[in-house]
Amino acid sequence: MIDKNSPIPIYHQLEEFIKAQIDNGELQADETIPSERVYADMFQISRMTIRQALTNLVNDGYLYRQKGKGTFVNKKKVEQRLQGLTSFTEDMRERGFTPGSRLVSFEIIPAGREIADRLKLSENTPVYEIKRVRLADNVPMALETTYLPANLVKGLTEEIINQSLYQYIEEKLSLAIHEATQEIEASIAKDQELRLLEIDKGSPVLLILRSSNLKDGTPFEFVKSAYRADRYKFVHTMQRS
Amino acid sequence: MIDKNSPIPIYHQLEEFIKAQIDNGELQADETIPSERVYADMFQISRMTIRQALTNLVNDGYLYRQKGKGTFVNKKKVEQRLQGLTSFTEDMRERGFTPGSRLVSFEIIPAGREIADRLKLSENTPVYEIKRVRLADNVPMALETTYLPANLVKGLTEEIINQSLYQYIEEKLSLAIHEATQEIEASIAKDQELRLLEIDKGSPVLLILRSSNLKDGTPFEFVKSAYRADRYKFVHTMQRS
DNA sequence: CGTCTCAACCTGTCCGGACCAGTCAGTAAG
DNA sequence: CTTACTGACTGGTCCGGACAGGTTGAGACG
């Protein structure tokens, strides 16, 4: 329930509490949830704190409100089956490959201008730089460099990186990964890419730059990936509006 | 400014005030806006009301916040409308270019194996093959080859092609364009591409293969586009599911 | 000159409260 | 039976305040 001694903000705990009730069927679509004042009495929390939690859930599409009437559970959004934001691991599995990776380097560096811009940090703020060769069925698929703000994505180790970054971020750090913007362009492989991807001089690569945000808009990741052009194509669908 | 006698909520007036400043250039991207307390003093409004307005603007993508540092104007988002299925003409206009094209060839040919597969036709069925250099601000941007089933997209002429294919299909033929799948990969420019795009041997191109369907699922178009890598990147967003 | 400390700033979270405006059920009057 | 009123509920808007934790720059000290 609500633990006032928890480091997790009270409004956030209430959000999770209500979401859990919706997910497990305790609260059904179009059902009224207890009013703000009832929750305030129930949990001995101020109504403003309740309102903050409920406002967030309304913004996220879980609830809807009607002035004078109450707050109701929303029907489940149609899940956009269009390609979602997935990690490299998830993407390779989707394509039927066995994903893997070889760590090239892992360090904390002061963010340069480009990285600071992308992550909306001050220049020289410490960030993790993780450089990996990503494998599919044990063959190099991409050279990937990931930047994460060190004071946001805390406590990274090589072990965590060798497992799943997204899982660590979502489950251990309880950060809500939300959306990403990707820029896709063609390029000619540079020296390090040639070596690490085991391709010939003059080979093309598909360069994908991804900037990812948490639900609250905070950038948490910037990734540069150079994919072997002979092994990877990006596929997606779009609709006429 | 802020009119406390107005029926419009104060927090909403503040939102519009700040948005107006962003739109008219008074506030630039990454610039700090006055702090919550400064606005509170300025307008004699409670800090909570200020926070409500700013939170809404953060949620809408106009601002971003950094704890301990301030609230900043966000860069204008890449317009989400780029996400949809658009023609080259629409895409270039969206990016602020003047679109144009130079017809290279236009003929009816019997569909080869690859084209027949893509358009779900029998081999040798007649299709239009339209080859164009697409221009942006009068500079070659892409070499585009479009295939359309001749008995579905009827009556094509050079004049129609020089205007808008999508407009002709939707308005004259009353066909409902629905969705497309795109494959994006990196490649090295081939001979014809080198000449027509005015690039050097060994240059990379972004190769985009698009298969488009009508609302009833019928494929109506298959397009191969080779974009100059120095002038074009594909940008899109995706969300975590 | 480099380092450390501290004050003054910032946003984040939470409190308790007041009043406004919409909705609805119950009751009284015609 | 209909209409109007009232009270109790709802969410919406706003107030003034307190404390926590992050950031930054100025000043002191070695």
Side-chain angles (χ1 to χ4, degrees):
Chain A
M1 211 70 94
I2 307 300
D3 175 9
K4 290 190 176 182
N5 297 319
S6 170
I8 299 176
I10 294 175
Y11 76 87
H12 191 79
Q13 292 180 56
L14 182 58
E15 287 180 37
E16 296 305 320
F17 171 72
I18 295 172
K19 276 200 248 171
Q21 283 188 302
I22 295 173
D23 287 343
N24 68 27
E26 238 176 292
L27 288 172
Q28 296 289 322
D30 296 319
E31 190 174 337
T32 312
I33 70 169
S35 75
E36 296 168 7
R37 291 173 182 85
V38 167
Y39 272 131
D41 283 341
M42 195 180 298
F43 298 123
Q44 287 300 294
I45 292 170
S46 108
R47 194 183 149 222
M48 288 318 297
T49 306
I50 307 291
R51 282 185 62 75
Q52 182 166 348
L54 299 188
T55 298
N56 289 349
L57 292 170
V58 167
N59 286 341
D60 290 343
Y62 286 92
L63 302 175
Y64 64 97
R65 276 163 149 156
Q66 281 174 320
K67 183 176 183 180
K69 298 189 69 169
T71 308
F72 306 87
V73 181
N74 224 340
K75 292 184 179 69
K76 280 201 170 80
K77 299 192 275 188
V78 175
E79 291 289 347
Q80 301 230 356
R81 285 187 297 102
L82 295 176
Q83 55 292 319
L85 169 51
T86 57
S87 65
F88 175 89
T89 301
E90 291 161 344
D91 186 7
M92 290 304 110
R93 287 205 172 107
E94 199 77 40
R95 292 166 187 254
F97 292 118
T98 301
S101 70
R102 207 156 56 220
L103 189 60
V104 174
S105 67
F106 167 45
E107 53 193 346
I108 292 186
I109 63 167
R113 170 66 62 91
E114 184 200 7
I115 305 307
D117 278 352
R118 293 281 190 168
L119 292 172
K120 295 203 177 92
L121 300 170
S122 303
E123 218 168 327
N124 295 322
T125 305
V127 299
Y128 290 110
E129 187 196 61
I130 310 163
K131 192 168 287 188
R132 293 179 279 183
V133 176
R134 305 311 300 261
L135 310 171
D137 287 354
N138 279 320
V139 178
M141 172 69 94
L143 176 61
E144 185 186 271
T145 310
T146 302
Y147 300 90
L148 306 128
N151 62 4
L152 175 65
V153 185
K154 292 184 170 79
L156 275 189
T157 64
E158 277 193 38
E159 187 189 2
I160 292 168
I161 290 161
N162 287 333
Q163 289 166 15
S164 173
L165 258 186
Y166 275 24
Q167 189 180 6
Y168 175 73
I169 290 168
E170 283 173 328
E171 295 177 18
K172 296 293 188 244
L173 301 182
S174 299
L175 298 173
I177 296 173
H178 181 42
E179 69 173 7
T181 298
Q182 278 194 163
E183 298 168 33
I184 302 176
E185 56 193 300
S187 186
I188 299 295
K190 298 182 177 60
D191 282 354
Q192 197 181 30
E193 289 157 358
L194 294 172
R195 275 197 301 106
L196 292 171
L197 294 176
E198 299 168 18
I199 50 181
D200 294 332
K201 193 178 172 72
S203 294
V205 291
L206 195 68
L207 193 55
I208 300 184
L209 310 184
R210 172 189 290 189
S211 300
S212 311
N213 296 339
L214 301 176
K215 244 187 201 9
D216 65 4
T218 305
F220 75 92
E221 167 194 71
F222 172 61
V223 191
K224 288 184 183 176
S225 306
Y227 284 83
R228 285 178 53 157
D230 59 337
R231 294 201 78 210
Y232 189 85
K233 66 178 65 165
F234 180 77
V235 180
H236 75 116
T237 61
M238 66 255 233
Q239 309 208 326
R240 189 69 167 163
S241 56
Chain B
M1 214 67 97
I2 306 300
D3 175 10
K4 289 190 176 182
N5 296 319
S6 171
I8 299 176
I10 295 175
Y11 76 86
H12 192 81
Q13 294 181 53
L14 182 58
E15 286 181 40
E16 296 304 320
F17 171 74
I18 294 172
K19 277 200 245 173
Q21 285 188 301
I22 294 174
D23 286 344
N24 68 28
E26 237 176 295
L27 288 172
Q28 296 289 322
D30 295 320
E31 189 174 337
T32 312
I33 71 168
S35 74
E36 295 167 6
R37 289 184 181 83
V38 167
Y39 272 131
D41 284 341
M42 194 180 298
F43 298 124
Q44 286 301 294
I45 292 170
S46 110
R47 191 183 151 222
M48 289 318 300
T49 307
I50 307 291
R51 283 186 62 76
Q52 180 166 348
L54 299 188
T55 298
N56 289 349
L57 292 171
V58 167
N59 285 342
D60 290 343
Y62 286 91
L63 302 175
Y64 64 95
R65 281 162 144 154
Q66 282 176 321
K67 185 175 180 181
K69 299 189 64 170
T71 308
F72 306 86
V73 181
N74 223 341
K75 289 185 180 67
K76 283 202 169 82
K77 298 190 274 188
V78 175
E79 292 293 343
Q80 297 271 349
R81 286 182 283 108
L82 258 172
Q83 291 280 85
L85 170 50
T86 58
S87 66
F88 176 89
T89 301
E90 291 161 344
D91 185 6
M92 290 304 110
R93 285 206 173 107
E94 203 73 50
R95 293 167 187 252
F97 292 119
T98 302
S101 70
R102 208 155 56 217
L103 190 59
V104 172
S105 68
F106 168 43
E107 54 193 345
I108 293 185
I109 63 167
R113 169 63 64 88
E114 184 200 8
I115 305 307
D117 277 351
R118 293 281 190 170
L119 293 173
K120 292 197 179 99
L121 300 169
S122 304
E123 217 168 329
N124 295 323
T125 307
V127 299
Y128 290 110
E129 186 196 61
I130 310 164
K131 191 168 289 191
R132 293 179 279 182
V133 176
R134 306 309 302 261
L135 310 171
D137 287 354
N138 279 319
V139 177
M141 174 69 96
L143 176 61
E144 186 186 271
T145 310
T146 303
Y147 300 90
L148 305 126
N151 62 3
L152 175 64
V153 185
K154 291 184 170 77
L156 275 189
T157 65
E158 275 193 40
E159 185 188 5
I160 292 168
I161 290 160
N162 287 333
Q163 287 166 17
S164 174
L165 257 187
Y166 276 24
Q167 189 181 5
Y168 175 73
I169 290 169
E170 282 173 328
E171 294 177 18
K172 296 290 188 250
L173 302 182
S174 298
L175 297 173
I177 296 173
H178 180 45
E179 70 172 5
T181 298
Q182 278 194 163
E183 300 167 31
I184 301 176
E185 55 193 300
S187 187
I188 298 294
K190 297 182 176 61
D191 282 353
Q192 197 181 30
E193 288 157 359
L194 292 171
R195 277 195 302 105
L196 293 170
L197 293 176
E198 299 168 18
I199 51 183
D200 294 333
K201 192 178 173 72
S203 293
V205 291
L206 196 68
L207 193 55
I208 301 184
L209 309 185
R210 173 190 290 188
S211 299
S212 312
N213 297 339
L214 302 176
K215 247 184 193 15
D216 64 5
T218 305
F220 76 92
E221 168 194 72
F222 173 61
V223 191
K224 287 183 184 178
S225 305
Y227 283 83
R228 286 178 52 157
D230 58 339
R231 293 200 79 208
Y232 189 86
K233 68 176 65 164
F234 180 77
V235 180
H236 75 118
T237 61
M238 66 255 234
Q239 306 207 326
R240 189 66 165 163
S241 55

